[in-house]
């Protein structure tokens, strides 16, 4: 195979926490309860052969991602501010360079209860299933321990 | 599928730039010219289903990775100090949170010419080919431009 010239550098721009040649996207077009999130795909969708995508998400103060689950895994690396992750039956506090692995089908939500933006890389498989809403048994598990009860946002029964 | 409980947090330890429950490994057991590198596999090899591995490498001052090429791609994220990457016919300077995509079969080498450790995440496909030594035409290309001529380390013809 001939070597090719498509290597590239995305220069980090500390002033606004963006990367050169990366365009900010909407977090999701679809439904679900979420707010205050930007999404940036850094690696993926440009002809790469790699089996993964690297995205950067930023949650504004008071914002949160969808409460959801899916078979594909998340690898989350905190790189701006700090935040919280509700995963299965635990709550994790995330600070700079902490790495969180979210296992297959674990219900999860990322939350920013702080006063500064919470930014993180999220690495996922290129081929992946769509997120699903939680089922009643997922909510019962979240509500069964004091660690996660009342810590998630936006579940509406029958929604 | 039942949700499972194998999610986990690797807490970053800023004092020594390590992560909880991650063990430092040798960079490579094999041959080739390289020096001063530690390797840490953070995601991968623990029953994950994801199609990628997340590793953290640290190159000591004056150290370098092998000069090599392979079909699988690298996604490199600088998170400690700064360093240099020779890739195909270019040299990139890497600083905090810069993201470098190294394309399939691009000859490359990561170098730390500075006085502090150069640390970076490197994301790769789980299933990947073994690195190969460069061929004469790769070296001729490196030597053909002033940008890369003399910037790589350790090529021995016929080695």
């Amino acid at each position: 195979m001939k070597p090719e010239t498509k290597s590239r550098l995305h220069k980090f721009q500390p002033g606004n926490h963006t990367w050169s040649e990366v365009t900010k996207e909407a977090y999701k077009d679809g439904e679900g309860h979420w707010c205050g999130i930007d999404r940036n795909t850094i690696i993926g969708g440009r002809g790469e052969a790699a089996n993964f995508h690297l995205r950067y998400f930023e949650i504004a103060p008071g914002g949160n991602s969808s409460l959801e689950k899916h078979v594909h895994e998340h690898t989350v690396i905190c790189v701006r501010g700090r935040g919280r992750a509700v995963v299965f039956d635990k709550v994790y506090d995330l600070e700079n360079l902490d790495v969180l692995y979210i296992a297959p089908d674990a219900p999860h939500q990322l939350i920013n209860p702080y006063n500064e933006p919470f930014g993180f890389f999220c690495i996922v498989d290129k081929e992946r299933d769509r997120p699903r809403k939680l089922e009643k048994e997922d909510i019962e598990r979240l509500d069964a321990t004091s660690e996660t009860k009342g810590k998630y946002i936006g579940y509406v029964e029958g929604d």
Side-chain angles (χ1 to χ4, degrees), chain A:
Chain A
M1 187 184 291
K2 279 196 75 63
E4 51 120 308
T5 55
K6 299 285 175 52
S7 300
R8 62 183 196 262
L9 178 67
H10 296 288
K11 201 76 192 153
F12 178 62
Q13 294 153 342
N16 51 9
H17 270 250
T18 57
W19 283 262
S20 62
E21 291 173 65
V22 174
T23 310
K24 206 171 272 193
E25 307 153 49
Y27 166 55
K28 282 183 179 176
D29 294 327
E31 52 198 310
H33 179 95
W34 53 271
C35 71
I37 304 203
D38 286 324
R39 171 196 174 119
N40 306 261
T41 301
I42 304 175
I43 304 296
R46 305 188 198 198
E48 301 95 336
N51 286 319
F52 58 85
H53 286 177
L54 171 69
R55 300 95 47 89
Y56 173 74
F57 294 89
E58 201 166 277
I59 308 185
N64 61 273
S65 69
S66 303
L67 180 64
E68 64 186 30
K69 61 181 184 176
H70 38 68
V71 176
H72 69 272
E73 295 139 282
H74 279 321
T75 289
V76 169
I77 309 172
C78 178
V79 292
R80 183 177 196 183
R82 55 195 176 125
R84 188 173 291 161
V86 177
V87 183
F88 196 64
D89 58 358
K90 290 200 169 53
V91 174
Y92 299 96
D93 289 312
L94 299 179
E95 298 175 299
N96 190 41
L97 295 184
D98 287 347
V99 178
L100 175 66
Y101 167 76
I102 301 177
D105 254 336
H108 62 276
Q109 182 171 52
L110 286 130
I111 302 170
N112 183 359
Y114 300 109
N115 293 326
E116 54 180 340
F118 167 38
F120 54 90
F121 292 119
C122 179
I123 313 163
V124 288
D125 280 351
K126 174 158 66 175
E127 303 288 341
R128 57 188 184 271
D129 59 322
R130 290 193 66 80
R132 311 189 313 281
K133 290 179 186 171
L134 300 199
E135 292 159 57
K136 208 172 171 193
E137 61 172 25
D138 297 316
I139 296 300
E140 284 167 357
R141 188 186 319 100
L142 288 167
D143 288 345
T145 77
S146 58
E147 183 161 345
T148 48
K149 186 175 169 64
K151 301 293 170 50
Y152 58 90
I153 296 167
Y155 177 75
V156 179
E157 195 176 332
D159 184 20

